[in-house]
Amino acid sequence: MARGKFITFEGIDGAGKTTHLDWFRQQLAAKLAAHGRQVVMTREPGGTPLGETLRGILLNQPMDLETEALLMFAGRREHLAQVIEPALARGDWVLSDRFSDATFAYQGGGRGLPRDKLEALERWVQGGFQPDLTVLFDVPTQTASERRSAARAPDKFESESEAFFERTRNEYLRRAAESPQRFFVVDSTRPIGEIRKKLEEAVASL
């Protein structure tokens, strides 16, 4: 069976990606079922027992910036080895809530870790591996802030300033401009029905 596809959902906290993630999975699963393939749903940080343990630490414990980035990539290496690569090899499609673009956006853009350090870790952990498609939910930072304030109690990233999220958003958009063949940017201020039509276009592209 041919190799599966790897799709990631990205965006700053409050961009709305979680609203569409399960719907997208259902649409994708329905299309793939006729071909005997499945959708593996996962997330970062997380995705494995080790990754979920690291998630609890990363989202709640203060730490040095470089420690934070190293832990993100350590969890990603385990995620690739235990979940993503085996699923793709057996022909399944993988849908992940965040991947390495989030590390460049949050630890790089938001926190200011030099890009060359992140690129070195990316090469080490991933080689040349990248998603087949990255759906980026883009929204103004003020809109995202209003959405976050209406959600659950914030973790340490969700508690960051609007300036932090502006830098994070800008890094996401820089990454998208750098790799337009991989990114599918969605205006997350649009009505849900309109966004889902765009997501159907994204599925069709694969």
Side-chain angles (χ1 to χ4, degrees), residues 17-184:
K17 64 182 175 57
T18 305
T19 301
H20 302 282
L21 194 60
D22 192 56
W23 178 87
F24 187 87
R25 179 195 62 78
Q26 292 176 29
Q27 300 301 305
L28 194 58
K31 292 179 182 295
L32 294 177
H35 303 282
R37 297 174 185 243
Q38 297 181 348
V39 177
V40 174
M41 187 86 155
T42 189
R43 67 179 182 176
E44 287 201 355
T48 66
L50 174 60
E52 292 297 325
T53 298
L54 291 175
R55 181 185 181 88
I57 296 169
L58 284 161
L59 297 188
N60 297 290
Q61 296 295 320
M63 63 187 70
D64 179 79
L65 172 56
E66 293 190 348
T67 302
E68 188 174 274
L70 288 165
L71 288 177
M72 288 287 186
F73 274 102
R76 183 162 300 130
R77 181 58 252 166
E78 188 75 0
H79 196 198
L80 282 163
Q82 300 300 325
V83 176
I84 298 171
E85 291 170 346
L88 296 178
R90 64 177 178 260
D92 290 337
W93 288 36
V94 178
L95 176 58
S96 183
D97 183 355
R98 302 196 188 282
F99 191 61
S100 55
D101 294 300
T103 308
F104 278 84
Y106 278 77
Q107 281 70 48
R111 297 220 192 281
L113 188 66
R115 194 182 304 161
D116 60 341
K117 292 186 176 183
L118 292 171
E119 289 171 345
L121 288 170
E122 185 181 44
R123 285 192 299 272
W124 181 27
V125 168
Q126 298 168 223
F129 179 82
Q130 291 290 349
D132 295 285
L133 172 70
T134 296
V135 181
L136 173 60
F137 291 83
D138 183 49
V139 67
T141 52
Q142 178 59 41
T143 303
S145 176
E146 291 167 1
R147 291 176 178 178
R148 288 194 306 274
S149 66
R152 65 189 183 282
D155 60 39
K156 78 176 188 183
F157 292 102
E158 293 167 336
S159 300
E160 285 284 356
S161 67
E162 193 166 323
F164 169 88
F165 281 108
E166 186 66 27
R167 295 191 299 271
T168 301
R169 180 194 183 200
N170 288 339
E171 177 61 12
Y172 267 131
L173 292 173
R174 186 198 69 78
R175 296 274 288 179
E178 189 178 66
S179 303
Q181 74 287 351
R182 173 166 71 87
F183 276 84
F184 191 92

